[in-house]
Amino acid sequence: MLYGVETRILNQAVKRNAARFSNDFMFKLSREEIGRISQAVASSIDRRRSSSHFVILKRGENIKYRPYAFTEQGVAMLSSVLNSERAVKVNIAIMRAFVKLRQTLDTNRELARKFSELEARVGKHDEKIGVILEAIRQLMAPPKTSDREIGFHVRERAARYGMHRRR
């Protein structure tokens, strides 16, 4: 449905291009996995039951061929080996997404490099800023008072002046 081709056409394309589909691109489902998928589909349909009837295989029984499952890379590879109009459009969209992803990664690398440079510059300035802040703190601190008086003091014996009282 994704590529607008029948399952048999998709299977033929995979068989003809087997070298393009390594184990990390595609694998066959086990009977247990097929059974779990059948159960999930059945319960989903039961919840959305309409007037039409569906025939669901019980736990993967009566399946002649086990179906393929494709990883993300396998889906991308499928779009390149299929010749339907939709497969071509999907392949183009995937290629554009890869280009955009690469541009985004390059942008992120450039930002990371610039951020590292900025950290290095700020790191050097941090020491200088710390010195400036310490000088400002010292200027803002109230001056320490000294017990010594500032100025010139003459230490002589002063003459005694007295007052006479009038009687």
Side-chain angles (χ1 to χ4, degrees), residues 102-115:
R102 189 175 322 130
Q103 289 172 345
T104 302
L105 288 173
D106 287 342
T107 301
N108 285 345
R109 279 190 206 110
E110 181 67 19
L111 284 174
R113 186 183 61 76
K114 287 183 179 181
F115 186 70

Side-chain angles (χ1 to χ4, degrees), residues 119-136:
E119 278 183 325
R121 272 192 273 151
V122 168
K124 292 175 188 173
H125 292 299
D126 275 351
E127 295 170 14
K128 294 177 183 175
I129 291 172
V131 170
I132 292 170
L133 290 175
E134 184 58 34
I136 292 172

Side-chain angles (χ1 to χ4, degrees), residues 22-83:
S22 61
N23 290 339
D24 57 332
F25 282 21
M26 172 193 79
F27 55 92
K28 285 195 174 193
L29 294 175
S30 69
R31 295 220 181 265
E32 294 86 28
E33 291 169 328
I34 296 167
R36 280 184 280 179
I37 291 171
S38 297
Q39 279 183 324
V41 169
S43 65
S44 173
I45 290 172
D46 286 344
R47 279 183 261 138
R48 295 181 284 122
R49 181 145 296 221
S50 63
S51 60
S52 62
H53 297 282
F54 294 95
V55 177
I56 303 294
L57 296 173
K58 292 182 182 179
R59 297 186 184 261
E61 295 174 8
N62 304 321
I63 293 179
K64 189 174 181 180
Y65 302 106
R66 292 182 300 153
Y68 291 118
F70 296 92
T71 64
E72 191 175 344
Q73 294 87 0
V75 171
M77 187 58 72
L78 267 176
S79 69
S80 67
V81 298
L82 294 172
N83 290 323

